Structure formats: C-alpha cells, structure tokens
C-alpha cells in the first residue's frame, strides 16, 4: 500500500520540531503534526505544551555525563540554527551555580569532572568573592559559586520551536496544525488519526512530552510521572533592572532540597513587561488524565508553591521586595531512569521520544536529532547513550 508519508512526527514541541528539522536533512516524505499554541490559555480545551514561555536556562554544567553531552551538542548548534532560520533565541549571559560548600559537594565534584570531559570552562568562585561578583544574590557565607560564562545562559523556547519548524518546512517537511488522537500499527504501515482525518506512514515518532500517554498514541504507555510545576514571575521596573539587568541565569542549591531554586534573568514577555522568572522542583501533584492536565494548564499554578518560592526568592534577592508577583503552570515529565526515552515501542514502526525530567529544554535539539536518527536508521550509535535512553513501559 502507498503511504501518505514516509515518516510522521507527532508533537510540535521542542523535541518534535527538532526531530523534524534533523530528519529533513536525511529523508523526504516527512510530516510534523501538532497544534499551535492556543490564543487563550484559560479557555483552551485541547492539549498544551510546556514550551509556551520566553526563557529556559541552558548550560553544560551537569553531574551526569549523558545530560551534559546532550546539552553541549545542542548548544554548539544554536548559532547555526539562528543564522539559518533568521530567528534569535539564545542569550549567552552565562549560568551561575551557587551551593553550600558541604551539602552538595558530591554533585559539584561530578559536574566539574563532566565539564572537563566536555571541555567546558567553569570558573570556581570562592565564598569571599561570590557576593562581590554577583551582588544581586544574597547567600550565606559558606556558599561557593561555579560560573559557566560561555555556552550558557538562556533560550527562548517559543522562538527555538519556531526556528526548528521554519527550517523543517524549508527542508520539505509538511506541517499539519492539528492534534493526533490515535496511532495504530496496521501491519505494513502505521495509521495516525488526526482530528477526524487519517494519515499513513512507514514509521512514526511520538514526541508529545507530558501528553505522550494521553489519547492512544502508543501501543503501551511509557513509564513516566507527569508532575505539576509552578513558576513565579516578578515584574521588574527600572529600579530593579539596575540590580538584575546584567545577571546570569542562576541555580541555587540550598541546604535542603526544597530550597533549591532556578532563576532566569529579566526577560521581556509578550505583554511588553520585563519579568524575572523562578521555579523549584518540590511540588507533588501528579497528573494522570488528559482532563487533569488541561485543568492544570488553565490555572495559575499552586498558590502554596508560589508562596514558598517567593519566600526563598526574597531571601536570596531582597531587591525584589515590592515587585508585583504572578504565577503560572508548567509540567515536568519524569522517567524512573532519570534519562529521556528514545527508542521503539512494542511496534517496530512506532518509536517514542519523551521524558525531559525537568532539564531537557536546553538539550532539545540534540534529543530531536536522536529521534530523527532512530526513525531513519532504526538504532542509535554507542556514542549516543542508547542504553540509558531505552524506554521503560508501564
């Protein structure tokens, strides 16, 4: 039977759009399926994505070699993607880790080892110099800093997805702005149902993020936990810009895990205002149904988590006092392995690429490349950490 496409990628987010771009350089007959960002978040009844935002931290400093490698490979392609697409998305402002000298030393030691392997330039900043070098940040005297000036900062995830999709389309990919509701291995081909229509393909890659287990996109669900996350936005005025305007992206590892926090520099959002964004990783709300995911994305996040993050923020950055505060929803998709999934399902024609583990935005171009290689070649090379990326199914 003749198929509509050789390859179909489901999910027009950070990994899916990257996969489509990379695959367009390897083959013809590709479709990328996924809806646009909804115009009105609070009234939208369909699927969402967590890249509907203006800033995500990017860095190679990581205690895990695989994650550090994925990030470094992606970072090394950012400028090429910007130049070819005409869309800017990377701000190389650097990334600062601040951590107490004792409680997080194991992670720091591993991250320094990985950095040497990757050739990353990490400056160690003694406790006595930390407040002088980075006066916006008020940490205890036992904190040291680890500053990655190059290949680090933040990306605009919306803009990166636009750039990937533009280049994919220029490479011949067909963009289908709709929601896939089922995927079925029909024997000699795969059948994809999309808003009442059906498309066929030789192989399909499901890259639907936290929504991968919803609808009927996989033969069996992957083993993941989709967790709610709340982000906080401080509206920044001229006074605060004098304090925070030149800050790098920042990650503070507190004495307790619940005090860990990430902080984005002031970024202009679509409403024209400048916001400093921050978040954490302690929320326990698990999302198991499509209806619950939609309700969460239509909300403003958790008020309790917002208040918790604000308490930490004002301790670390007293100059934020008096700034207007809002909050919003996000989700994180965790795997039991701690790695993303990139592999085939029970069907040799249906593959899955998901499991960002709350750290994948910066690495999305490389993860998309792995998804493209998987569809084209059927396997990943040993240099691509195939064992770590093997999917686990529920």
């Amino acid at each position: 039977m003749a198929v509509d496409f050789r390859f179909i990628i489901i999910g027009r987010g950070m990994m899916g759009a990257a996969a489509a771009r990379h695959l367009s350089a390897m083959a013809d007959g590709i479709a990328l399926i996924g809806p646009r960002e909804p115009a009105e978040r609070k009234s939208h009844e369909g699927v969402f994505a967590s890249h509907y935002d203006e800033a995500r931290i990017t860095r190679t400093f990581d205690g895990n070699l695989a994650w550090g490698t994925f990030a470094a490979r992606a970072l090394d392609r950012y400028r090429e993607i910007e130049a070819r697409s005409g869309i800017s998305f990377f701000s190389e402002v650097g990334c600062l880790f601040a951590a107490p000298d004792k409680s997080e030393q194991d992670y720091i030691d591993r991250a320094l080892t990985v950095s040497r392997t990757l050739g990353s330039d990490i400056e160690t900043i003694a406790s006595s110099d930390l407040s002088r070098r980075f006066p916006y940040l008020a940490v205890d005297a036992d904190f040291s800093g680890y500053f990655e000036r190059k290949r680090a900062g933040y990306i605009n995830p919306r803009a990166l997805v636009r750039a990937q999709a533009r280049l994919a389309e220029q490479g011949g990919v067909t963009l289908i702005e709709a929601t896939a509701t089922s995927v079925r291995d029909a024997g000699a081909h795969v059948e994809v149902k999309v808003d009442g229509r059906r498309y066929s393909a030789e192989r399909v890659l499901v890259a639907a993020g936290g929504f991968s287990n919803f609808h009927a996109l996989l033969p069996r669900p992957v083993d993941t936990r989709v967790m709610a996350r709340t982000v906080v936005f401080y509206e920044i005025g001229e006074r605060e810009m004098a304090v925070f305007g030149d800050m790098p992206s920042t990650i503070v590892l507190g004495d307790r895990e619940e005090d860990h926090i990430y902080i984005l520099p002031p970024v202009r959002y679509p409403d024209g205002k400048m916001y400093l964004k921050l978040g954490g990783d302690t929320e326990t709300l698990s999302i198991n149904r499509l209806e619950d995911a939609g309700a969460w994305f239509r909300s403003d996040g958790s008020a309790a988590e917002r208040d918790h993050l604000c308490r930490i923020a004002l301790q670390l950055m007293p100059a934020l006092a008096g700034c207007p505060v809002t909050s919003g929803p996000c989700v994180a998709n965790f795997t039991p392995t701690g790695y993303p999934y990139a592999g085939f399902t029970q069907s040799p024609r249906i593959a899955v690429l998901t499991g960002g583990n709350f750290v994948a935005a910066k690495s999305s171009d490389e993860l998309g490349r792995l998804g493209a290689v998987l569809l084209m070649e059927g396997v990943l090379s040993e240099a691509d950490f195939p064992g770590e990326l093997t999917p686990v199914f529920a």
Side-chain angles (χ1 to χ4, degrees):
M1 149 177 183
V3 293
D4 298 310
F5 300 99
R6 186 177 178 189
F7 303 111
I8 289 177
I9 298 167
I10 296 173
R12 197 176 168 182
M14 300 191 76
M15 294 187 199
R21 177 182 79 81
H22 282 283
L23 193 57
S24 70
M26 306 174 188
D28 297 321
I30 304 161
L32 174 62
I33 299 176
R36 287 180 176 267
E37 179 177 352
E40 297 293 337
R41 173 175 65 88
K42 293 202 171 185
S43 61
H44 180 61
E45 294 295 332
V47 299
F48 289 84
S50 291
H51 74 265
Y52 303 156
D53 192 19
E54 300 296 306
R56 289 284 190 279
I57 291 177
T58 189
R59 37 109 181 166
T60 69
F61 192 68
D62 198 293
N64 182 282
L65 178 59
W67 277 112
T69 300
F70 300 149
R73 291 175 180 174
L75 275 152
D76 287 343
R77 291 192 288 264
Y78 284 175
R79 295 306 188 197
E80 177 193 356
I81 298 170
E82 287 182 322
R84 289 179 54 211
S85 68
I87 298 173
S88 297
F89 58 83
F90 176 38
S91 296
E92 195 174 19
V93 300
C95 182
L96 171 69
F97 267 74
D101 290 335
K102 295 180 180 179
S103 63
E104 295 297 330
Q105 198 56 50
D106 178 62
Y107 178 88
I108 296 298
D109 288 344
R110 286 187 283 112
L112 290 171
T113 299
V114 170
S115 295
R116 287 190 290 270
T117 301
L118 298 176
S120 300
D121 184 11
I122 309 298
E123 179 187 2
T124 299
I125 302 168
S127 303
S128 57
D129 291 332
L130 191 57
S131 60
R132 178 184 58 82
R133 290 279 304 278
F134 303 97
Y136 67 92
L137 192 63
V139 293
D140 292 340
D142 66 338
F143 274 62
S144 296
Y146 305 87
F147 185 47
E148 185 174 13
R149 180 65 187 87
K150 298 295 184 181
R151 290 202 304 182
Y154 64 90
I155 54 173
N156 181 323
R158 281 190 177 110
L160 176 53
V161 170
R162 286 198 304 271
Q164 300 280 29
R166 176 177 292 182
L167 292 175
E169 194 167 25
Q170 290 175 2
V173 174
T174 299
L175 301 184
I176 300 174
E177 294 180 353
T179 300
T181 54
S182 74
V183 177
R184 184 177 69 90
D185 186 333
H189 67 280
V190 182
E191 185 178 272
V192 179
K193 186 175 180 182
V194 180
D195 290 347
R197 293 196 59 182
R198 284 180 169 82
Y199 298 97
S200 58
E202 294 176 10
R203 284 179 174 173
V204 169
L205 176 69
V206 176
F211 288 78
S212 296
N213 278 343
F214 302 145
H215 293 304
L217 303 181
L218 298 169
R220 282 175 52 192
V222 283
D223 186 355
T224 63
R225 292 180 300 118
V226 180
M227 306 298 292
R229 289 291 179 265
T230 297
V231 291
V232 170
F233 300 92
Y234 279 87
E235 184 181 331
I236 301 297
E238 291 184 9
R239 177 184 69 85
E240 293 80 26
M241 282 299 293
V243 178
F244 300 107
D246 295 328
M247 68 176 283
S249 296
T250 303
I251 297 173
V252 179
L253 304 179
D255 288 310
R256 305 177 305 168
E257 184 176 350
E258 57 264 36
D259 294 332
H260 294 355
I261 194 170
Y262 65 87
I263 310 162
L264 275 300
V267 172
R268 192 171 302 280
Y269 273 70
D271 64 1
K273 297 179 180 180
M274 300 291 291
Y275 293 97
L276 182 151
K277 187 187 79 170
L278 54 94
D281 192 19
T282 61
E283 212 155 359
T284 58
L285 175 63
S286 180
I287 297 173
N288 301 308
R289 301 186 307 152
L290 179 62
E291 296 81 2
D292 296 334
W296 176 253
F297 272 105
R298 288 187 292 271
S299 76
D300 293 325
S302 161
E305 182 69 6
R306 178 200 63 207
D307 293 345
H308 169 69
L309 291 169
C310 286
R311 283 192 295 271
I312 300 172
L314 293 176
Q315 291 171 5
L316 294 173
M317 298 170 288
L320 290 176
C323 293
V325 180
T326 53
S327 60
C330 186
V331 300
N333 192 13
F334 293 98
T335 66
T337 65
Y339 294 100
Y341 292 152
F344 279 91
T345 65
Q346 293 70 33
S347 163
R349 285 169 283 275
I350 302 172
V352 62
L353 176 67
T354 191
N357 288 274
F358 209 37
V359 292
K362 63 186 181 298
S363 306
S364 59
D365 184 67
E366 173 61 11
L367 297 177
R369 186 191 71 83
L370 298 180
V373 170
L374 190 66
L375 277 191
M376 189 70 189
E377 305 293 340
V379 294
L380 298 177
S381 72
E382 285 304 312
D384 293 332
F385 303 91
E388 287 85 344
L389 302 183
T390 301
V392 178
F393 295 91

